[in-house]
Amino acid sequence: MVRPATEEETRVVRPAGDEDVTRVVRRTRRVDSPPPPPPVERVRRVGPPERNPWPWLLALLLLVLGGIAAAYLLSQRDDEPDTVAVPSVVGSREADAVSRLQRAGLNPRIARQFAERPRGIVLRQQPAGAANVKRGAAVTLYVSRGPGTVAVPNLQGLSEAEAASKLTALGLEANVVRVPSTEPDGTVIAQSPARDERIGRGETVRINVSRGVTRTQTTTTTTATTAATTSTTATTGTTTTPGAGTTTAPPEDAEVPDVVGQSEIDAAAALGAVGLLADSYPVSSEEAPGTVVAQRPGAGGTALEGSAVRLNVAIGTGTRPSRAVPDVTGLNERAARDRLRRTGFTVRAIERKVTARDENGVVILQSPDAGRSLRLGIQITIYVGRLR
């Protein structure tokens, strides 16, 4: 490598007379300069690329906040028991209210009281709706028993029609049960609840009504009478004609069809097809109003042709509308039954002895009376004349 030239001074002293003359002679010579430093090379670091720290910081922050929230919840759980919000069930039907409370993990308790609201409606609750209580806590439901109370009258000794009319006037319903008795046919021989007991309006009073002597007793009496008549006929050589006090050929047995689950009207038609009648009784049930929920005799049993099969008919659980009772006096039995059923009432028939032929098989009396406004499903009793 060529180095740049440098200058150097040389002082030369030469004599010049009396004085020395100093002359500076400048010479130029090439002097090698030190080599320049080598160029600096940038060295690249070999390794993974640098990462952005912010995602890590954000994750750390979330972890810290999650830990704080978990600690808070654990501390709250230690301080407070497991609670649930009480559903508001005021105004609901009893069964629906109980089901909702049980689904919420609560224990419903029922307290009944008389009120103007329909029977079975929840009037109030304790604790109130939306209150927070321990899971499994008791919630008291105050359920309506219907409007007011009345004292049950004494019905024993009355006729069935008189007893039913008396109960209806007090806002009560009659559940008539026919039982064998030596008392006259159609006479009330027992009741439940007893006289003077107070019950809610709209509740049912069972009355046991005599249906006279049993079939066995009748058969025994008839056999004795027939034997006596036969003996007399053989002695005198005369014959008797059917009439009062004589017996006719007994009716045949009919097989009872299964009518449970049918409407009352369809069930009555099915029974009529085999020569049977239908006495219907209103009962409380979750089934649709007018549906037969039970029968007696049961399906496959037998009953005398022309006799009645008891049908228990659902009146539903809601509020029932009212309708005027139609007048069926003067109609034949089947027409009267059909008209009452199609109006929305249950119906049963009681036979009454008559002497006029034009009253045979005809409705001579009904209870309650025609024109009264009664709730649908209430039983109407018709009295049908029979020549004896």
Side-chain angles (χ1 to χ4, degrees):
M1 179 178 291
V2 180
R3 298 178 179 176
T6 60
E7 292 185 348
E8 62 177 11
E9 294 181 355
T10 303
R11 293 180 181 274
V12 180
V13 178
R14 293 175 181 268
D18 295 333
E19 306 178 341
D20 291 334
V21 177
T22 302
R23 188 174 60 177
V24 178
V25 178
R26 296 183 179 276
R27 292 181 181 176
T28 301
R29 69 169 182 168
R30 189 174 301 275
V31 180
D32 292 338
S33 60
V40 178
E41 295 183 3
R42 294 186 178 182
V43 179
R44 292 185 179 182
R45 181 179 298 174
V46 178
E50 296 182 358
R51 297 181 179 179
N52 188 355
W54 286 109
W56 295 99
L57 293 176
L58 180 60
L60 179 61
L61 177 61
L62 293 176
L63 184 62
V64 172
L65 292 178
I68 295 174
Y72 174 78
L73 292 177
L74 289 175
S75 64
Q76 291 295 104
R77 187 165 186 172
D78 292 338
D79 296 339
E80 297 181 5
D82 187 15
T83 61
V84 295
V86 179
S88 178
V89 295
V90 174
S92 303
R93 295 209 60 84
E94 178 182 342
D96 296 336
V98 168
S99 178
R100 288 185 60 190
L101 291 175
Q102 289 175 339
R103 288 198 302 268
L106 300 172
N107 180 24
R109 295 181 180 177
I110 307 299
R112 304 186 189 280
Q113 63 185 55
F114 296 105
E116 293 302 318
R117 297 295 302 276
R119 185 178 180 180
I121 297 297
V122 177
L123 304 172
R124 57 190 179 93
Q125 66 182 83
Q126 183 64 36
N132 289 320
V133 298
K134 291 182 181 180
R135 186 177 299 276
V139 177
T140 303
L141 303 179
Y142 296 87
V143 180
S144 172
R145 295 184 63 183
T149 63
V150 294
V152 178
N154 182 23
L155 305 172
Q156 295 187 39
L158 299 179
S159 69
E160 181 182 347
E162 292 171 336
S165 179
K166 206 167 187 179
L167 291 174
T168 302
L170 294 174
L172 302 175
E173 297 184 11
N175 176 22
V176 180
V177 179
R178 303 275 288 176
V179 297
S181 171
T182 56
E183 294 294 322
D185 186 18
T187 302
V188 178
I189 60 175
Q191 68 181 80
S192 178
R195 61 180 297 179
D196 297 330
E197 184 174 337
R198 300 195 69 86
I199 61 175
R201 296 182 187 275
E203 295 193 24
T204 300
V205 176
R206 170 176 171 149
I207 55 176
N208 290 356
V209 178
S210 171
R211 58 182 175 86
V213 295
T214 63
R215 185 182 175 188
T216 302
Q217 294 171 318
T218 303
T219 302
T220 301
T221 303
T222 301
T223 302
T225 303
T226 303
T229 304
T230 302
S231 176
T232 303
T233 303
T235 303
T236 60
T238 60
T239 58
T240 59
T241 57
T246 63
T247 60
T248 58
E252 297 180 356
D253 285 339
E255 183 176 347
V256 180
D258 184 7
V259 295
V260 174
Q262 299 183 23
S263 69
E264 181 186 2
I265 295 176
D266 292 342
L271 292 171
V274 296
L276 300 174
L277 300 172
D279 279 348
S280 50
Y281 293 77
V283 295
S284 297
S285 172
E286 297 294 331
E287 297 291 334
T291 302
V292 176
V293 297
Q295 67 180 83
R296 191 175 67 211
T302 58
L304 290 177
E305 186 178 354
S307 64
V309 175
R310 176 183 174 125
L311 305 179
N312 288 355
V313 179
I315 57 175
T317 57
T319 302
R320 291 177 287 159
S322 297
R323 288 185 184 173
V325 178
D327 185 3
V328 295
T329 55
L331 298 180
N332 66 60
E333 181 179 358
R334 289 189 180 275
R337 286 175 180 268
D338 184 68
R339 182 174 180 185
L340 289 170
R341 287 195 179 98
R342 294 188 180 281
T343 307
F345 298 105
T346 52
V347 57
R348 68 182 298 263
I350 297 177
E351 293 184 354
R352 281 289 181 264
K353 181 180 178 180
V354 294
T355 57
R357 291 188 176 276
D358 59 352
E359 292 182 341
N360 186 43
V362 173
V363 177
I364 58 175
L365 181 66
Q366 70 180 76
S367 179
D369 296 332
R372 292 194 57 178
S373 182
L374 300 175
R375 285 177 296 173
L376 295 184
I378 283 182
Q379 187 182 71
I380 308 300
T381 303
I382 56 175
Y383 295 86
V384 181
R386 285 287 183 265
L387 284 171
R388 300 280 177 91

